[in-house]
DNA sequence: CGCCTCATTGAGTTCTGTCAATCCCAGTGG
DNA sequence: CCACTGGGATTGACAGAACTCAATGAGGCG
């Protein structure tokens, strides 16, 4: 019940999701896929709530998310939390830490996760020996940045209802890419507080917005499950334009 | 009067600001600086308000900002504008466009600017022949992303007053790096509407917050000039922690 | 059964936005 | 030199969105 319905990205190959996403944007040959796979040092399963990286700590490896949801988040001095990114299956979540050497934010497991660790030394080898693959990794961090910009727009200019709607539209679209959503819904075992921290709202207000979305027959979020009843309507409320997701191919 | 007071980054070298910033993080040898300088194709001066890149248009070159302020911004379908990034002297503003092939946002001149154009072919050569320099360019896009994350935190969780205060704290710190602020103030010829679009507020409310900052003896913004009267107090109101700017060196 | 976390709801408050008038000032033309 | 104009800045009054506080409900778990 609580386990996500595996579609076809969830094979035994830990980099299946990543490969699906990179392929979507640019060619990725078998050799390059092998190099990526061989760069993985260890694989781990972690429970929800676990902090994987704390701001400021020195880093020597990056995190590839195989299954579950990871978040990057920051806090103000008084404790107000803001989630800046949500990562899904196949995201090279922590690639930012590679060149920054330390992160200015935390990385945590939003749900139970399976992650692979890639040593930074391997990443440097890739940039030296496989320039094209190196550019693809760079590209994936640039697409993270595009998601962040949309989040800035969302929090800065969308209404609370629009923000919540947009949050789910984006998640749905991103999960579709990696075969974790069929477009009509997906498992998402988090609390309303988590959604509040991602949208810059309070949990109470998120609750009200969810009620409204439900009442308008657009979307239900309950028991860790998102059901999209009216995708077109939801995207209209969200003012959702997926072009920032770069879903089309970007020829080499 | 309206011309910014050049400190020492404003030499004739178009990449002076960029070099200052990259040096701060990692070694950059003379050869690498030459490669960067030689990658510039043309240099242009543009008036305030000019749009340099429109969302979606195919790109073949990236923009290095030599002087003035550039913005990246997005709009909702009803026209609400949100500035997602502000670029200062020495920022390789449009490096994101290199691998994305097209941008999902616009790039505009917030003030009069002088910009250099670098063809994407040159950037590819750098990644192929100069892996270390390539990583530095990658690093600069990662630092852009760190700024974006702080903006998400700011808009999502800071009060209106805190947002405005934080906006100026960040700008001041970034301008100091490239010698465009002495820490006590700097020229910033923009309107309150621009600040509103950057902070996710309305111009009327920005005006009120500016009045408050002025009333508390923290900062004055008037006639395109920022004067910081009480930096410590301002940073306190802003809950400003500069660690996200990565001002310290990141050893190779 | 009791406890705990999370979801839900209502009432009231506060913050920020909206609307509209006025002010200020630089630039322009007479 | 002065009236006029236009773009911002400023202000007040009011509206509305989102937050706060607090109570209640619902479900899972030991």
């Amino acid at each position: 019940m609580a386990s996500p319905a595996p579609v076809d990205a969830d094979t035994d190959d830990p980099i299946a999701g990543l490969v699906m996403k990179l392929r979507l944007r640019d060619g990725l040959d078998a050799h390059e896929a092998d190099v990526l796979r061989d760069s993985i040092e260890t694989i781990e399963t972690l429970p929800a709530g676990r902090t994987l990286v704390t701001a400021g700590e020195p880093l020597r490896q990056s995190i590839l998310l195989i299954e579950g949801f990871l978040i990057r988040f920051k806090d103000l001095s008084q404790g107000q939390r803001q989630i800046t990114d949500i990562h899904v299956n196949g995201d090279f979540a922590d690639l930012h830490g590679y060149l920054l050497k330390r992160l200015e934010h935390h990385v945590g497991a939003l749900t139970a996760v399976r992650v692979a660790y890639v040593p930074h030394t391997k990443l440097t080898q890739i940039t030296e020996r496989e320039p094209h693959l190196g550019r693809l990794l760079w590209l994936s961090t640039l697409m993270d940045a595009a998601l962040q910009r949309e989040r800035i727009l969302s929090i800065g200019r969308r209404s609370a209802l629009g923000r919540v709607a947009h949050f789910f539209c984006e998640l749905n679209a991103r999960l579709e890419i990696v075969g974790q959503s069929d477009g009509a819904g997906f498992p998402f075992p988090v609390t309303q507080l988590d959604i509040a921290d991602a949208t810059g709202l309070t949990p109470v207000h998120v609750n009200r917005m969810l009620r409204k979305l439900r009442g308008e027959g657009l979307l239900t979020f309950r028991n860790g499950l998102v059901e999209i009843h009216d995708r077109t309507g939801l995207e209209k409320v969200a003012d959702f334009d997926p072009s920032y997701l770069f879903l089309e191919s970007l020829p080499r």
Side-chain angles (χ1 to χ4, degrees), chain A:
Chain A
M1 201 94 348
S3 69
V7 183
D8 75 277
D10 239 343
T11 64
D12 288 338
D13 186 357
I15 65 162
L18 179 62
V19 168
M20 285 173 81
K21 291 203 302 184
L22 295 181
R23 281 248 167 79
L24 182 60
R25 273 80 191 201
D26 200 275
L28 182 79
D29 62 36
H31 167 66
E32 289 172 329
D34 287 342
V35 169
L36 271 179
R37 201 165 8 246
D38 293 345
S39 69
I40 293 173
E41 194 172 54
T42 52
I43 292 184
E44 234 178 27
T45 299
L46 299 168
R50 181 68 63 84
T51 298
L52 285 82
V53 180
T54 302
E57 75 182 36
L59 304 170
R60 51 164 296 279
Q61 57 191 6
S62 283
I63 300 168
L64 172 61
L65 177 56
I66 301 172
E67 200 181 326
F69 294 91
L70 277 180
I71 51 175
R72 298 197 255 167
F73 61 95
K74 308 187 73 163
D75 298 274
L76 290 181
S77 63
Q78 296 307 302
Q80 304 97 310
R81 166 163 305 195
Q82 178 66 48
I83 294 175
T84 61
D85 306 80
I86 293 201
H87 289 293
V88 306
N89 186 322
D91 281 0
F92 217 138
D94 196 29
L95 209 41
H96 293 248
Y98 163 43
L99 290 173
L100 291 175
K101 305 287 202 307
R102 63 172 176 85
L103 292 175
E104 88 294 354
H105 58 274
H106 312 289
V107 178
L110 183 61
T111 65
V113 294
R114 199 153 61 98
V115 295
Y117 294 102
V118 177
H120 289 170
T121 49
K122 290 276 177 62
L123 293 173
T124 298
Q125 279 175 23
I126 289 177
T127 64
E128 311 250 335
R129 298 175 196 168
E130 306 280 346
H132 176 255
L133 184 54
R135 285 196 298 270
L136 277 182
L137 293 182
W138 184 0
L139 173 62
S140 87
T141 63
L142 294 178
M143 297 198 348
D144 286 342
L147 295 179
Q148 290 176 359
R149 286 189 290 272
E150 184 71 21
R151 183 152 302 207
I152 291 172
L153 172 66
S154 207
I155 299 179
R157 294 303 187 200
R158 266 183 259 260
S159 68
L161 189 68
R163 282 188 228 176
V164 175
H166 189 274
F167 176 79
F168 286 112
C169 285
E170 174 181 316
L171 211 45
N172 186 48
R174 291 171 62 194
L175 289 170
E176 275 186 312
I177 303 174
V178 290
Q180 299 290 113
S181 166
D182 60 5
F186 50 89
F188 192 50
V190 309
T191 69
Q192 295 182 2
L193 174 60
D194 296 322
I195 298 172
D197 286 343
T199 51
L201 300 167
T202 56
V204 173
H205 206 57
V206 165
N207 181 282
R208 290 194 253 259
M209 296 303 103
L210 287 173
R211 181 184 1 159
K212 191 159 185 187
L213 290 175
R214 206 184 316 132
E216 294 180 5
L218 300 176
L219 170 143
T220 303
F221 169 65
R222 188 168 278 168
N223 298 334
L225 209 63
V226 175
E227 295 174 69
I228 297 174
H229 307 306
D230 175 2
R231 185 170 186 166
T232 308
L234 186 68
E235 294 185 345
K236 189 147 185 292
V237 169
D239 202 350
F240 182 67
D241 171 359
S243 59
Y244 74 99
L245 296 172
F246 293 89
L247 298 178
E248 78 283 7
S249 170
L250 303 171
R252 193 182 293 227

